[in-house]
Amino acid sequence: MTKKKENVFDTKLFKRLLFYIKPYRWVFVLSLLTVIGLAVFGALRPKVLQLAIDENITSQQLEGFLPYIITMLVLLILEVSCNLLFIYYAGWLGQSVVRDVRVKLFKHILNFKMKYYDNSSVGVLITRAVTDMERIADIFGQGLFMIFSDILKMLFVGVMMAMMNWRLSIIVFCTLPFVLIATKIFQKYMKKAFEEVRNEVSNLNSFVQERVTGMKILQLFAREDIEYKNFKLINERHKKGWLKTVWYNSIFFPIAELLSSLTLGLVVWFGGLNVVLQQTTSLGDLTAFIMMIPMMFRPLNQIANKFNTLQMGMVAADRVFKVLDTTSNIDDSGDIVVSHFKGDIAFKEVHFSYVENEEVLKGISFDVKAGDMVAIVGATGAGKSTIINLLNRFYKINSGDILIDGTNIKNVTLNSLRKQVAVVLQDVFLFANTILSNITLNDPSITEKDVVQAAKQIGIHDFIMSLPNGYHYNVKERGVMLSSGQRQLISFLRAYVANPSILILDEATSSVDSYSEQLMQEATDKVTEGRTSIVIAHRLATVKKANNIIVLDAGEIVEQGTHDELLKKQDGYYRNLYEVQFLQEEVA
């Protein structure tokens, strides 16, 4: 395992990334051809210059000089054209690959179990889907092809040097191993540095995202100074991570530049002596070598620099593929597609735990008849919301069975199951969009006319029309432009227009004005009419209307019955709960 981590380049990971290039083979091939063109045309220019100097300038002959000038101009135009095509198509290829990977990643994330999100940072997932994707695009636009181009250019220039003057070539070739060793060491340390940088970027993104989202809590509890200090610490670690890369760059590039300058000085000194004294080297050779030495050494510097980009892209790709390889997807092996449920629900000895060996539901069993309303009451942590989560298959039960109309829900396709089970949560989430979009969730089968009609039926049309632009009012991020009661009403309408067979309500209890309270009660009566309904009840009015009340305590059903039946039980759990919680409401 340690050896694998020390590898400078992960070939297996790179092959996996290349798989996404297959739909764009022709663009990949064209990019490679332009890269080859850049290397060939760049390496030929010094040779043409050498011929022009030796055959024309040195001998002071104009005949044949113009063709060399024209040839150099043509080579320059071809090199510029290849560079233009390369920049465009390599960038296009990178963005196309990233688009495909990002779509696949987002689709994968959509199908994760809720347990994955319980244990994962939103900021990290955002980093994977956004920032890391751009680093992957750089692999093609700035890393892979540029490295290939630089290597080709070095090979062509090296061959050209050896053919022109082997004596001067030996000087250059003797220096190259030192640069190559320095490059290899540099790449090794840069990979570790970039892994640390990516970790710190994820931590920083996660910290900022959570604090911005929870800014109201921070300010309510006067946590500004504490969180500011925490941010400074995280930001400092982020800076130190980047400074490592700066430090390695500051060591490598001066060394590479020094070796290049020493090589150039030795070639000028040795070649100059040969031109003047021994005349074994021509002036054209010397001039061409002066031009080619930077072409030989600069690619090494660029390879190291582009390898940094490649390494960052590879680290990002590794992180993205780890998310793609996560097997936290919901089991959707059911093959039964339902278009409507009658509404009979049965929980049979259902055991469930969020954390292993810590059961939240301890073998609960109950039945709900089609069209009935069942209220679930109990203290916080009794397992009320867990029942909602399991009915929608957000989590996998440990044992037991959950049946709807006699069919085990694990045999029903997730899509058809959730279309028939609508949920109104206590914590309503609204997207930064219009009221209409938040109600339909961009379902093309639900028209604005349908929404307006449904709003009138449950009595909230007037409330929506009182807002600026009515149904086209933008509620902003998380619905901050609406009160909690107004958001709850929008959630009721969202569930109602879906026309579900089964409705689950987790009623809101706080920050609701009397007007919204009345509208919510009317909406509750309307949306539950003629439907099987399971209600986590917080209001006495809802509890009294329930056909059956299930009383939970520590994951077990301790009592069942109607409101009147349960009140008759001396020292009963529900009666005590009623006297403590609901009776105060009734008196008020």
Side-chain angles (χ1 to χ4, degrees):
M1 181 64 72
T2 305
K3 187 176 180 181
K4 183 178 179 182
K5 287 185 178 179
E6 291 179 352
N7 288 339
V8 175
F9 191 79
D10 191 335
T11 307
K12 185 177 179 181
L13 177 64
F14 187 68
K15 286 181 179 178
R16 184 174 180 183
L17 192 60
L18 288 179
F19 171 80
Y20 291 91
I21 295 178
K22 286 185 178 181
Y24 314 106
R25 293 186 186 91
W26 67 273
V27 179
F28 183 76
V29 172
L30 179 60
S31 299
L32 283 179
L33 291 176
T34 58
V35 163
I36 295 171
L38 281 171
V40 173
F41 299 138
L44 286 176
R45 283 191 293 112
K47 177 61 179 177
V48 176
L49 179 62
Q50 179 254 334
L51 293 174
I53 292 174
D54 287 344
E55 295 183 12
N56 297 100
I57 296 177
T58 304
S59 60
Q60 298 181 352
Q61 294 181 8
L62 290 177
E63 185 179 354
F65 184 65
L66 184 59
Y68 287 128
I69 300 300
I70 294 174
T71 302
M72 287 193 67
L73 181 61
V74 171
L75 288 173
L76 184 60
I77 292 173
L78 289 173
E79 188 176 359
V80 170
S81 300
C82 286
N83 198 25
L84 187 151
L85 291 172
F86 162 72
I87 292 173
Y88 177 78
Y89 283 107
W92 186 93
L93 179 64
Q95 290 301 323
S96 297
V97 169
V98 163
R99 176 197 61 193
D100 295 345
V101 177
R102 184 182 280 129
V103 167
K104 184 175 181 179
L105 176 67
F106 188 72
K107 183 179 180 181
H108 193 64
I109 290 174
L110 285 175
N111 293 314
F112 278 155
K113 298 175 183 176
M114 286 299 108
K115 186 176 182 179
Y116 179 87
Y117 296 105
D118 294 340
N119 301 321
S120 300
S121 166
V122 174
V124 170
L125 288 176
I126 292 173
T127 301
R128 300 293 172 268
V130 182
T131 309
D132 285 341
M133 288 297 177
E134 294 307 316
R135 299 289 78 79
I136 294 175
D138 290 340
I139 291 177
F140 302 98
Q142 302 177 31
L144 172 66
F145 291 116
M146 289 302 296
I147 291 175
F148 185 56
S149 175
D150 290 339
I151 292 174
L152 276 181
K153 186 176 289 186
M154 289 175 60
L155 289 174
F156 278 114
V157 170
V159 171
M160 200 72 68
M161 283 181 171
M163 292 174 60
M164 290 171 59
N165 192 308
W166 64 270
R167 293 178 179 85
L168 296 180
S169 298
I170 290 176
I171 298 174
V172 178
F173 295 156
C174 285
T175 314
L176 276 179
F178 296 101
V179 181
L180 290 172
I181 291 171
T183 302
K184 188 172 180 62
I185 295 173
F186 173 70
Q187 291 169 350
K188 177 181 177 181
Y189 282 97
M190 283 301 289
K191 183 184 179 186
K192 293 180 180 179
F194 279 130
E195 286 177 347
E196 183 177 338
V197 166
R198 296 314 304 158
N199 281 329
E200 295 305 331
V201 168
S202 294
N203 292 337
L204 187 62
N205 285 347
S206 179
F207 183 90
V208 173
Q209 188 273 333
E210 287 180 351
R211 270 59 184 183
V212 171
T213 302
M215 187 59 67
K216 187 174 182 179
I217 299 298
L218 298 184
Q219 293 182 355
L220 281 172
F221 288 89
R223 293 273 303 180
E224 293 94 336
D225 291 340
I226 295 174
E227 294 303 332
Y228 173 68
K229 292 176 182 178
N230 290 337
F231 177 78
K232 286 179 69 176
L233 292 174
I234 293 176
N235 199 38
E236 181 66 22
R237 292 202 304 268
H238 179 263
K239 184 196 77 172
K240 287 180 179 179
W242 274 110
L243 283 180
K244 280 188 180 181
T245 68
V246 174
W247 170 244
Y248 296 145
N249 280 318
S250 66
I251 294 175
F252 171 75
F253 287 107
I255 291 175
E257 191 64 32
L258 176 63
L259 291 172
S260 176
S261 299
L262 287 174
T263 304
L264 183 60
L266 288 172
V267 167
V268 171
W269 173 73
F270 184 77
L273 290 178
N274 276 270
V275 170
V276 175
L277 300 178
Q278 303 177 12
Q279 296 185 346
T280 55
T281 301
S282 69
L283 185 60
D285 287 343
L286 184 59
T287 305
F289 266 74
I290 292 173
M291 187 176 178
M292 284 190 292
I293 286 174
M295 296 176 67
M296 175 68 78
F297 281 84
R298 191 175 297 116
L300 276 176
N301 296 352
Q302 290 177 350
I303 286 175
N305 198 25
K306 298 306 177 184
F307 197 86
N308 296 346
T309 302
L310 182 61
Q311 289 287 41
M312 289 188 72
M314 294 297 288
V315 171
D318 183 51
R319 293 175 180 274
V320 170
F321 285 136
K322 280 181 180 177
V323 177
L324 284 171
D325 292 338
T326 301
T327 56
S328 183
N329 290 38
I330 303 164
D331 179 20
D332 193 13
S333 57
D335 55 1
I336 300 175
V337 179
V338 295
S339 58
H340 180 75
F341 282 126
K342 179 183 174 184
D344 290 318
I345 301 173
F347 274 60
K348 296 184 180 295
E349 289 295 321
V350 174
H351 291 260
F352 174 76
S353 57
Y354 292 103
V355 180
E356 191 174 356
N357 298 324
E358 294 182 18
E359 282 196 335
V360 177
L361 298 182
K362 304 171 183 178
I364 68 168
S365 299
F366 65 87
D367 295 301
V368 182
K369 294 180 180 180
D372 279 0
M373 175 191 288
V374 171
I376 302 177
V377 299
T380 301
K384 303 186 297 294
S385 296
T386 300
I387 291 175
I388 292 176
N389 291 330
L390 296 184
L391 191 59
N392 279 279
R393 289 184 60 197
F394 285 135
Y395 298 89
K396 182 180 180 181
I397 62 177
N398 298 348
S399 62
D401 295 293
I402 302 175
L403 311 176
I404 300 179
D405 294 347
T407 302
N408 197 312
I409 61 172
K410 68 181 180 182
N411 297 325
V412 179
T413 62
L414 278 174
N415 189 48
S416 63
L417 171 67
R418 291 177 179 170
K419 280 187 175 181
Q420 295 305 314
V421 181
V423 182
V424 178
L425 295 172
Q426 182 176 350
D427 183 18
V428 179
F429 186 94
L430 297 181
F431 296 94
N433 211 321
T434 64
I435 288 179
L436 181 63
S437 294
N438 273 286
I439 293 169
T440 65
L441 296 177
N442 299 314
D443 185 344
S445 65
I446 303 175
T447 65
E448 183 173 353
K449 183 179 179 181
D450 296 332
V451 173
V452 172
Q453 183 179 355
K456 289 179 179 178
Q457 289 174 348
I458 66 173
I460 66 172
H461 172 72
D462 292 338
F463 142 66
I464 296 175
M465 292 306 297
S466 67
L467 298 171
N469 299 322
Y471 290 87
H472 298 279
Y473 178 62
N474 194 314
V475 300
K476 305 299 181 182
E477 187 174 0
R478 301 181 69 90
V480 295
M481 302 303 291
L482 301 176
S483 68
S484 59
Q486 290 172 330
R487 291 196 295 270
Q488 194 75 29
L489 290 171
I490 298 301
S491 183
F492 271 101
L493 184 54
R494 177 195 287 170
Y496 187 61
V497 297
N499 193 27
S501 303
I502 298 170
L503 188 66
I504 300 175
L505 302 179
D506 187 355
E507 296 178 304
T509 59
S510 60
S511 302
V512 178
D513 56 80
S514 58
Y515 175 68
S516 296
E517 172 80 18
Q518 182 181 354
L519 289 178
M520 286 170 59
Q521 188 58 55
E522 292 174 0
T524 301
D525 294 341
K526 185 63 181 179
V527 297
T528 57
E529 184 180 342
R531 287 186 177 87
T532 302
S533 305
I534 297 179
V535 182
I536 294 180
H538 301 287
R539 294 197 298 263
L540 180 61
T542 305
V543 176
K544 283 183 172 181
K545 291 178 181 178
N547 301 100
N548 186 33
I549 299 172
I550 297 173
V551 185
L552 284 179
D553 182 36
E556 297 180 292
I557 297 176
V558 293
E559 292 176 348
Q560 283 194 71
T562 64
H563 173 71
D564 293 333
E565 290 172 350
L566 293 176
L567 283 183
K568 293 177 182 178
K569 294 185 178 181
Q570 295 295 329
D571 294 325
Y573 189 100
Y574 178 80
R575 179 167 176 168
N576 292 333
L577 183 67
Y578 169 77
E579 291 174 350
V580 172
Q581 179 178 339
F582 295 133
L583 188 59
Q584 295 177 0
E585 181 184 340
E586 191 174 44
V587 172

